[in-house]
Amino acid sequence: MEWKKEYAVGIHEIDEQHKTLTECISSIEQAAIQYDRQSADTALVRLADLAQAHFTLEESLMRIHDYPRLEEHADDHKQFSV
C-alpha cells in the first residue's frame, strides 16, 4: 500500500497519521512477501496501537467540529478494531 495525495483530508496531524498507518500496512505486506513472521507480528502490533490512537484523535476532532457522520465513521473504526 502506498500513500497518495488524494487520501489527504487537509488536517496535518490526521494526514500524517494516515501516512504512518499506510507505511505500517506496507511493512506488513513486505513481511508477508518475505515470509518474515517476526517482522509481520511486530508491524501488526504497531498497526493496532497506532490505529487505536488515531481513531481516538479522529473521533475527538469529529465530535468537536460536529461532523455529521461521526457515528457511521466511529462504527467503521469499531469494525477495524474487532
Side-chain angles (χ1 to χ4, degrees), residues 56-75:
T56 298
L57 173 64
E58 192 172 76
E59 290 173 24
S60 293
L61 289 173
M62 289 177 175
R63 216 171 265 103
I64 290 167
H65 295 283
D66 293 321
Y67 182 68
R69 295 176 46 206
L70 169 62
E71 294 306 317
E72 178 183 338
H73 200 88
D75 286 343

Side-chain angles (χ1 to χ4, degrees), residues 27-75:
S27 294
I28 294 165
E29 291 172 339
Q30 289 304 310
I33 289 168
Q34 297 169 1
Y35 298 103
D36 183 348
R37 173 81 185 240
Q38 184 175 0
S39 293
D41 288 347
T42 299
L44 282 166
V45 169
R46 182 168 185 251
L47 176 61
D49 291 344
L50 290 170
Q52 190 57 45
H54 171 70
F55 295 162
T56 298
L57 173 64
E58 192 172 76
E59 290 173 24
S60 293
L61 289 173
M62 289 177 175
R63 216 171 265 103
I64 290 167
H65 295 283
D66 293 321
Y67 182 68
R69 295 176 46 206
L70 169 62
E71 294 306 317
E72 178 183 338
H73 200 88
D75 286 343

